[in-house]
């Protein structure tokens, strides 16, 4: 158990819909990262937040957005969903920005878009 | 971040040492080598990291060649639970900021009973 929690575990929805994935980092961790894992693209970094502020962006689509709240939990919002958005979405956390940036991953949310 | 090359798959007998190679010939002086693994659709798990010295922890050992162009992750006594995809990642160390990890395709290690 990494200490990172994600809800829900599974999510099934239809094209065009909007969903929200939630992540609670390990106690004391200020950085939260979101990753997407699909069969064709592999594991890809989407976005990072540090202490409530956006810190780094990866291959995140404009239809996707995220935020980190004062209690440090984070939400990833996916809108106008397409079939290709079906994937595993992982959240990870780390203590902060200082080296060595070891990241602890949650169990993931499996999103299925029908 | 420097690019890494790993074999797509490897087999190892249970109880034997599993040696997973990684080539990172374009690594620069301030880049560290990290290893993560992912057990069947679970979240990736950090294993170990190093710069130029060999490193060991309770999970594994990391051997980095003197020229730092390649490294080997060693699981000393592999068990069936070590069956996973192992990712070698090279990234800049030091302070000043962190961003996401860049995962390649990794090596699918299969431990045979």
């Amino acid at each position: 158990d990494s200490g990172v929690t994600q809800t829900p575990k599974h999510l099934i929805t239809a094209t065009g819909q909007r969903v929200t994935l939630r992540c609670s980092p390990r106690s004391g961790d200020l950085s939260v990262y979101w990753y997407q894992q699909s069969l064709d693209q592999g594991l890809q970094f989407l976005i990072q937040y540090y202490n409530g502020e956006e810190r780094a962006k990866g291959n995140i689509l404009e239809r996707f957005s995220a935020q980190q709240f004062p209690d440090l939990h984070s939400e990833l919002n996916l809108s106008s969903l397409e079939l290709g958005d079906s994937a595993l979405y992982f959240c990870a956390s780390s203590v902060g920005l200082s080296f060595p940036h070891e990241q602890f991953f949650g169990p993931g949310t499996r999103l299925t878009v029908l | 971040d420097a690019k890494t090359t790993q074999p797509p798959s490897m087999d190892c007998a249970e109880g034997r040492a599993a040696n997973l190679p990684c080539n990172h010939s374009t690594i620069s002086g301030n880049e560290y080598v990290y290893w993560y693994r992912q057990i069947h659709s679970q979240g990736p798990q950090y294993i170990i990291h190093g710069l130029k010295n060999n490193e060991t922890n309770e999970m594994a050992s990391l051997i980095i060649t003197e020229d730092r162009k390649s490294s080997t992750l060693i699981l000393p006594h592999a068990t069936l639970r070590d069956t996973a995809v192992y990712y070698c990642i090279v990234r800049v160390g030091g302070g000043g900021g962190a961003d996401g990890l860049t995962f390649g395709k990794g090596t699918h290690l299969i431990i045979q009973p």
Side-chain angles (χ1 to χ4, degrees):
Chain A
D1 184 358
S2 66
V4 177
T5 60
Q6 290 186 248
T7 56
K9 283 188 177 179
H10 302 277
L11 197 49
I12 301 174
T13 188
T15 54
Q17 296 297 305
R18 172 189 170 94
V19 297
T20 297
L21 313 183
R22 182 188 169 103
C23 168
S24 292
R26 290 189 323 156
S27 177
D29 284 359
L30 299 178
S31 265
V32 170
Y33 309 77
W34 286 98
Y35 292 83
Q36 178 194 58
Q37 186 170 32
S38 61
L39 282 175
D40 54 346
Q41 297 289 339
L43 196 54
Q44 290 196 100
F45 165 65
L46 296 178
I47 196 164
Q48 178 205 2
Y49 277 78
Y50 171 73
N51 203 21
E53 303 270 336
E54 182 183 305
R55 183 73 188 187
K57 262 186 173 179
N59 298 320
I60 189 166
L61 299 173
E62 285 192 12
R63 300 184 284 108
F64 296 0
S65 65
Q67 52 184 331
Q68 185 179 28
F69 295 87
D71 67 352
L72 301 177
H73 92 271
S74 179
E75 292 180 356
L76 179 67
N77 301 296
L78 315 176
S79 62
S80 303
L81 284 168
E82 302 176 359
L83 296 177
D85 298 327
S86 295
L88 266 170
Y89 290 85
F90 291 106
C91 165
S93 72
S94 65
V95 171
L97 299 178
S98 58
F99 183 75
H101 317 306
E102 177 186 346
Q103 295 182 21
F104 297 86
F105 284 76
T109 293
R110 183 175 293 278
L111 174 66
T112 302
V113 182
L114 301 176
Chain B
D1 294 339
K3 184 176 177 180
T4 61
T5 303
Q6 299 177 253
S9 65
M10 293 182 63
D11 287 349
C12 178
E14 191 177 16
R16 304 297 293 268
N19 297 279
L20 293 93
C22 179
N23 182 287
H24 31 80
S25 57
T26 60
I27 194 170
S28 58
N30 64 346
E31 288 183 312
Y32 286 69
V33 180
Y34 288 77
W35 284 83
Y36 281 75
R37 74 179 182 182
Q38 185 176 25
I39 299 171
H40 187 58
S41 296
Q42 295 180 21
Q45 177 189 23
Y46 165 81
I47 300 173
I48 199 168
H49 75 275
L51 179 63
K52 52 184 178 181
N53 297 321
N54 298 337
E55 303 287 346
T56 295
N57 63 19
E58 64 280 1
M59 287 184 68
S61 294
L62 175 60
I63 309 297
I64 302 174
T65 58
E66 194 169 341
D67 63 7
R68 303 211 319 124
K69 293 185 177 182
S70 66
S71 60
T72 301
L73 178 74
I74 301 172
L75 308 178
H77 305 288
T79 71
L80 297 178
R81 288 179 296 181
D82 292 320
T83 292
V85 178
Y86 288 76
Y87 298 96
C88 170
I89 299 168
V90 172
R91 64 199 308 260
V92 175
D99 55 20
L101 298 168
T102 301
F103 290 87
K105 295 188 184 301
T107 295
H108 187 194
L109 175 66
I110 299 170
I111 307 301
Q112 305 281 4

